[in-house]
């Protein structure tokens, strides 16, 4: 029986065979994907990712699962309770660097999209700069997500403390934020990314939206203290009635894998994903940034990319 299982695994590495990983048998047909709370960017992306990948390779079934976000996804990956998970750039940076914890041994499957951080306020509000928001109630994102961590680094670079200089509010559900801006329960909602649902909702509301990002001088101050944050731009037209590009800064979010995801599985996932880049881009605007080249550029270190993915990248020439 053991010989038969091994023979099947060799012939059908992602079929109904069984792969041995760390002494524990796992199904190689279904991979769990941790996202975040409903209403945020991660579930939107994760559901589209699964749909495109499942259609492209019927032998792969990626099953999205709502979680509390990046800060829950990382330990779930470490415990083997998730196979894949979406993790924002700042939590990933801290986890890989061992900031406040032991360094993780997780791997990068792909960079998904850049996260230029900024605030959104009602278009008729008096707030026009970050300084104007000091002392005001601000929704900094869902508990456990990466958004509050990005905000903390940005504000720290300006000498501001998130929980002391603002009336900080952390959401149970990412989707609750836009309504709080619209009815003025909060002065602003912090978010990040291109096509982020929270920003789109406020910009589409009757009151409309104004976006507040760090100024050029503030970006320089932030990067002087936190150099891992990169200058990023939100192109004009990313949100309703946004006629001008918005310069900000932030980092890249990733799909991370558990450390012991087999190399052949990671290789096949990478080959499938980057073979349907154009299809994914048509389905979801944010996914246009999900490319092999962006993954190589965004990874803090090349060795953090999964070896199976690296093998594919060398084959297509994006990595030596």
């Amino acid at each position: 029986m053991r010989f038969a299982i091994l023979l099947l695994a060799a012939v059908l590495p992602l079929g109904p065979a069984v792969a041995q990983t760390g002494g524990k048998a796992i199904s190689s047909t279904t991979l769990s994907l941790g996202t975040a709370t409903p209403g945020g960017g991660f579930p939107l992306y994760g559901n589209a990712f699964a749909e495109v990948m499942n259609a492209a390779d019927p032998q792969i079934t990626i099953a999205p699962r709502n979680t509390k976000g990046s800060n829950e996804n990382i330990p779930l990956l470490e415990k083997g309770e998730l196979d894949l998970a979406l993790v924002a750039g700042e939590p990933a940076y801290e986890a890989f660097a061992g900031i406040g914890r032991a360094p993780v041994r997780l791997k990068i499957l792909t960079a998904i999209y850049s996260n230029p951080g900024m605030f959104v306020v009602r278009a008729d509000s008096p707030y026009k700069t970050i300084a104007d928001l000091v002392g005001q109630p601000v929704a900094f994102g869902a508990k456990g997500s990466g958004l509050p961590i990005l905000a903390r680094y940005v504000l720290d670079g300006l000498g501001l403390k998130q929980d002391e200089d603002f009336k900080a509010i952390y959401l149970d559900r990412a989707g609750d934020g836009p309504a709080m801006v619209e009815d003025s329960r909060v002065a602003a909602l912090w978010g990040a990314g291109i096509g982020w649902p929270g920003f789109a909702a406020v910009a589409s509301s009757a009151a409309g939206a104004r976006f507040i990002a760090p100024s050029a001088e503030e970006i320089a101050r932030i990067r002087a203290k936190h150099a891992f944050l990169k200058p990023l731009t939100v192109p004009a037209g990313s949100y309703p009635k946004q006629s001008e590009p918005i310069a900000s800064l932030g980092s890249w979010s990733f799909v991370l894998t558990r450390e012991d995801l087999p190399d052949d599985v990671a290789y096949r996932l990478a080959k499938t994903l980057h073979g349907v880049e154009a299809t994914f881009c048509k389905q979801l605007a944010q996914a246009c940034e999900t490319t092999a080249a962006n993954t190589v550029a965004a990874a803090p270190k090349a060795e953090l990319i999964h070896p199976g993915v690296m093998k594919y990248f060398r084959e297509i020439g994006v990595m030596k």
Side-chain angles (χ1 to χ4, degrees), residues 266-288:
Y267 174 90
R268 186 159 179 168
L269 287 170
K271 185 174 183 179
T272 301
L273 174 61
H274 298 298
V276 293
E277 285 180 4
T279 301
F280 198 8
C281 177
K282 288 179 182 177
Q283 179 154 333
L284 186 70
Q286 297 93 313
C288 296

Side-chain angles (χ1 to χ4, degrees), residues 180-253:
M180 297 176 73
V181 175
E182 292 171 39
D183 64 17
S184 299
R185 278 177 286 166
V186 297
L189 171 67
W190 169 262
I194 297 165
W196 188 61
F199 287 161
V202 178
S204 300
S205 69
R210 177 188 304 122
F211 294 100
I212 298 176
S215 67
E217 183 271 333
E218 287 173 331
I219 289 173
R221 287 170 57 195
I222 294 164
R223 295 203 67 234
K225 189 167 185 180
H226 301 298
F228 75 93
L229 295 176
K230 306 300 182 186
L232 298 169
T233 300
V234 180
S238 296
Y239 296 101
K241 300 179 182 179
Q242 180 215 337
S243 59
E244 299 292 332
I246 302 169
S248 188
L249 78 174
S251 62
W252 286 78
S253 293

Side-chain angles (χ1 to χ4, degrees), residues 15-26:
V18 174
Q20 293 292 329
T21 313
K24 183 172 68 174
I26 61 164

Side-chain angles (χ1 to χ4, degrees), residues 258-314:
R258 53 186 172 82
E259 179 191 7
D260 59 355
L261 188 76
D263 288 1
D264 60 339
V265 175
Y267 174 90
R268 186 159 179 168
L269 287 170
K271 185 174 183 179
T272 301
L273 174 61
H274 298 298
V276 293
E277 285 180 4
T279 301
F280 198 8
C281 177
K282 288 179 182 177
Q283 179 154 333
L284 186 70
Q286 297 93 313
C288 296
E289 293 188 294
T290 305
T291 67
N294 280 342
T295 299
V296 173
K301 297 178 182 177
E303 55 265 33
L304 296 176
I305 300 174
H306 195 290
V309 177
M310 290 285 280
K311 177 184 177 183
Y312 175 71
F313 283 177
R314 291 189 182 101

Side-chain angles (χ1 to χ4, degrees), residues 55-299:
D57 189 340
Q59 288 185 299
I60 299 174
T61 300
I62 295 176
R65 168 180 156 189
N66 289 120
T67 66
K68 294 179 182 178
S70 298
N71 288 340
E72 183 180 33
N73 288 345
I74 291 171
L76 288 176
L77 284 171
E78 290 184 290
K79 290 185 287 187
E81 295 179 19
L82 288 173
D83 299 306
L84 313 170
L86 306 185
V87 177
E90 290 68 38
Y93 165 77
E94 293 184 346
F96 285 131
I99 296 174
R101 52 155 300 145
V104 298
R105 298 168 64 100
L106 306 177
K107 295 297 181 182
I108 294 170
L109 178 72
T110 185
I112 61 174
Y113 51 67
S114 59
N115 284 294
M118 54 188 184
F119 296 94
V120 65
V121 301
R122 286 173 55 117
D124 59 0
S125 79
Y127 312 111
K128 296 184 178 179
T129 67
I130 293 175
D132 291 340
L133 294 172
V134 170
Q136 300 300 318
V138 174
F140 281 106
K143 301 171 185 175
S145 78
L147 287 174
I149 301 175
L150 172 58
R152 188 183 73 223
Y153 278 108
V154 168
L155 296 173
D156 181 70
L158 299 176
L160 296 170
K161 295 188 181 298
Q162 193 167 299
D163 293 317
E164 296 178 17
D165 293 310
F166 303 85
K167 296 174 183 176
I169 296 170
Y170 302 98
L171 307 171
D172 292 321
R173 291 166 46 94
D176 294 340
M180 297 176 73
V181 175
E182 292 171 39
D183 64 17
S184 299
R185 278 177 286 166
V186 297
L189 171 67
W190 169 262
I194 297 165
W196 188 61
F199 287 161
V202 178
S204 300
S205 69
R210 177 188 304 122
F211 294 100
I212 298 176
S215 67
E217 183 271 333
E218 287 173 331
I219 289 173
R221 287 170 57 195
I222 294 164
R223 295 203 67 234
K225 189 167 185 180
H226 301 298
F228 75 93
L229 295 176
K230 306 300 182 186
L232 298 169
T233 300
V234 180
S238 296
Y239 296 101
K241 300 179 182 179
Q242 180 215 337
S243 59
E244 299 292 332
I246 302 169
S248 188
L249 78 174
S251 62
W252 286 78
S253 293
F254 299 99
V255 177
L256 299 186
T257 79
R258 53 186 172 82
E259 179 191 7
D260 59 355
L261 188 76
D263 288 1
D264 60 339
V265 175
Y267 174 90
R268 186 159 179 168
L269 287 170
K271 185 174 183 179
T272 301
L273 174 61
H274 298 298
V276 293
E277 285 180 4
T279 301
F280 198 8
C281 177
K282 288 179 182 177
Q283 179 154 333
L284 186 70
Q286 297 93 313
C288 296
E289 293 188 294
T290 305
T291 67
N294 280 342
T295 299
V296 173

